[in-house]
């Protein structure tokens, strides 16, 4: 099959060539976008439910494509992960987010998503250290969000890597908590400071009482372990009520604020009157 080139395609469903072509085209565009600095960051506010103010922002990458319009990260991050582009994209996100955060007033935190692929080599430690150094951002204000899928393999190495990242003074966040294979053992093995409760649990709190119990239990667990829990994907007032009722201290979601450009994020802080 290796040498057969064109001939191979007739064994596959029709359309596979055009899918392959579309992929190659997206990959080419991704490279061009990096070179042309087309990527932007949107900032979604995170609320402290006790103080009733914005306590942080999650940086979310945006790709305004000249022809396709806004391409979702769900579409291009996986492709960037398959190619070697995620390293460069990740470095862009770290640098931009730290630089923006350093200009935000007060003790507001900034959360950056790390791809599991970025954790495959120790280069990530240098990338984070360099972003902190260049921006002058207090490392305690930087949160690194890591999904459970990053923790599946090579536990010893990952544990050491996470300790080094934490050693820089940053806070480690376990993202999409509850969606992995062994969420609890990740908490036991790795040094997390914070848990983000996956939006699938939060969304079903209003319709399934077992989801209220689960979110409540995770909040209690986080508390016992000296960590914070954030409820993700809060979309309705009823969901927010339940999140508060189970004692969750932080929340994020469309109800509280959508991801927005840095200037609008600034406005939000000014509007809330926080330092
Ligand atoms: P995530 O880290 O779990 O981020 C939360 C996603 O949920 C974001 O989607 C956010 O816009 C969306 N969201 C926030 N509140 C609500 C809500 O109330 N309802 C609903 N339905 N959605 C809500 P987004 O920006 O499209 O990002 C999707 C995923 O792409 C992220 O999931 C993250 O895994 C990845 N991603 C985004 N930016 C980056 C990045 O800079 N680097 C890496 N490696 N991954 C990124
Ligand atoms: Ca995240
Ligand atoms: Ca998440
Ligand atoms: Ca997610």
């Amino acid at each position: 099959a290796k040498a057969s080139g064109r001939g191979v395609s007739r064994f596959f469903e029709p359309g596979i060539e055009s899918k392959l072509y579309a992929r190659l085209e997206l990959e080419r565009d991704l490279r061009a976008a990096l070179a042309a600095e087309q990527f932007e960051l949107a900032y979604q506010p995170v609320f402290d439910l006790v103080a009733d103010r914005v306590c942080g922002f999650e940086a979310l990458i945006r790709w305004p494509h000249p022809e396709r319009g806004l391409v979702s990260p769900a579409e291009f991050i996986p492709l960037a992960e398959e190619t070697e582009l995620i390293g460069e994209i990740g470095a862009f996100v770290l640098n931009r987010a730290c630089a923006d955060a350093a200009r935000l007033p007060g003790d507001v935190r900034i959360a950056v998503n790390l791809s599991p692929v970025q954790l495959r080599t120790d280069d990530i430690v240098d990338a984070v250290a360099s972003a902190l150094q260049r921006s002058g951002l207090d490392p305690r204000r930087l949160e690194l969000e890591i999904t459970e899928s990053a923790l599946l393999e090579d536990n010893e190495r990952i544990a050491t890597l996470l300790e080094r990242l934490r050693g820089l003074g940053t806070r480690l966040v376990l993202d999409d908590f509850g969606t992995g294979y062994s969420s609890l053992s990740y908490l036991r093995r790795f040094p997390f400071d914070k848990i983000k409760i996956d939006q699938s649990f939060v969304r079903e709190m209003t319709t399934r009482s077992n989801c209220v119990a689960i979110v409540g239990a995770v909040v209690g667990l986080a508390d016992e372990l000296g960590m914070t829990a954030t409820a993700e994907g809060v979309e309705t007032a009823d969901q927010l009520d339940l999140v508060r009722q189970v004692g969750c201290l932080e929340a994020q979601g469309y109800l509280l604020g959508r991801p927005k450009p840095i200037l609008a994020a600034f406005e939000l802080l000014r509007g809330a009157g926080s330092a």
Side-chain angles (χ1 to χ4, degrees):
K2 194 174 136 217
S4 46
R6 298 178 58 88
V8 166
S9 67
R10 70 193 149 87
F11 294 112
F12 297 106
E13 60 187 283
I16 198 156
E17 265 186 350
S18 58
K19 271 185 208 155
L20 196 64
Y21 183 74
R23 226 186 89 100
L24 285 172
E25 201 175 52
L26 191 64
E27 186 182 332
R28 185 203 61 198
D29 287 2
L30 211 49
R31 286 181 200 281
L34 257 177
E37 294 178 34
Q38 268 172 15
F39 297 108
E40 292 168 7
L41 294 184
Y43 293 95
Q44 184 175 33
V46 180
F47 277 80
D48 177 332
L49 297 178
V50 180
D52 211 17
R53 66 173 191 114
V54 176
C55 58
F57 291 95
E58 178 175 2
L60 295 159
I61 195 165
R62 295 290 176 261
W63 182 13
H65 189 286
E67 289 122 44
R68 294 167 201 248
L70 205 60
V71 185
S72 162
E75 195 176 336
F76 71 86
I77 292 290
L79 184 61
E81 288 172 338
E82 285 172 39
T83 58
E84 76 284 14
L85 295 171
I86 192 67
E88 269 182 80
I89 293 176
F92 160 80
V93 174
L94 277 166
N95 283 313
R96 176 64 62 81
C98 288
D100 282 345
R103 291 157 54 217
L104 289 173
D107 53 2
V108 169
R109 294 196 178 116
I110 205 86
V112 169
N113 291 286
L114 298 186
S115 153
V117 176
Q118 284 176 279
L119 298 180
R120 276 194 204 147
T121 76
D122 290 4
D123 294 351
I124 187 65
V125 180
D126 293 335
V128 171
S130 148
L132 285 169
Q133 204 205 348
R134 286 161 71 170
S135 62
L137 182 71
D138 179 347
R140 287 169 300 185
R141 291 175 60 195
L142 179 62
E143 295 182 331
L144 301 173
E145 297 198 358
I146 294 159
T147 54
E148 297 185 326
S149 57
L151 309 173
L152 285 178
E153 27 185 318
D154 213 353
N155 283 314
E156 284 293 294
R157 192 190 60 81
I158 294 275
T160 309
L161 187 62
L162 296 187
E163 289 291 358
R164 287 180 66 199
L165 287 171
R166 205 152 174 266
L168 297 174
T170 65
R171 291 160 49 89
L172 302 185
V173 180
L174 185 51
D175 202 357
D176 299 349
F177 184 79
T179 60
Y181 289 105
S182 58
S183 305
L184 290 180
S185 69
Y186 301 140
L187 289 185
R188 184 183 61 200
R189 257 178 298 178
F190 303 110
F192 286 101
D193 301 283
K194 186 167 176 173
I195 293 171
K196 281 194 142 182
I197 304 171
D198 191 65
Q199 43 191 60
S200 58
F201 295 102
V202 175
R203 190 162 310 133
E204 289 189 22
M205 282 178 93
T206 44
T207 50
R208 298 172 66 162
S209 61
N210 60 3
C211 279
V212 179
I214 290 169
V215 173
V218 172
V219 169
L221 179 71
D223 196 42
E224 287 287 319
L225 294 172
M227 299 187 285
T228 328
T230 304
E232 280 198 284
V234 174
E235 292 180 345
T236 70
D238 287 347
Q239 287 166 356
L240 184 60
D241 282 346
L242 287 170
V243 161
R244 278 186 202 274
Q245 270 172 43
V246 299
C248 192
L249 304 181
E250 283 186 14
Q252 187 179 347
Y254 292 165
L255 176 74
L256 298 160
R258 291 194 174 248
K260 44 187 115 252
I262 183 67
L263 285 178
F266 262 112
E267 284 303 312
L268 204 60
L269 289 176
R270 192 170 312 155
S274 59

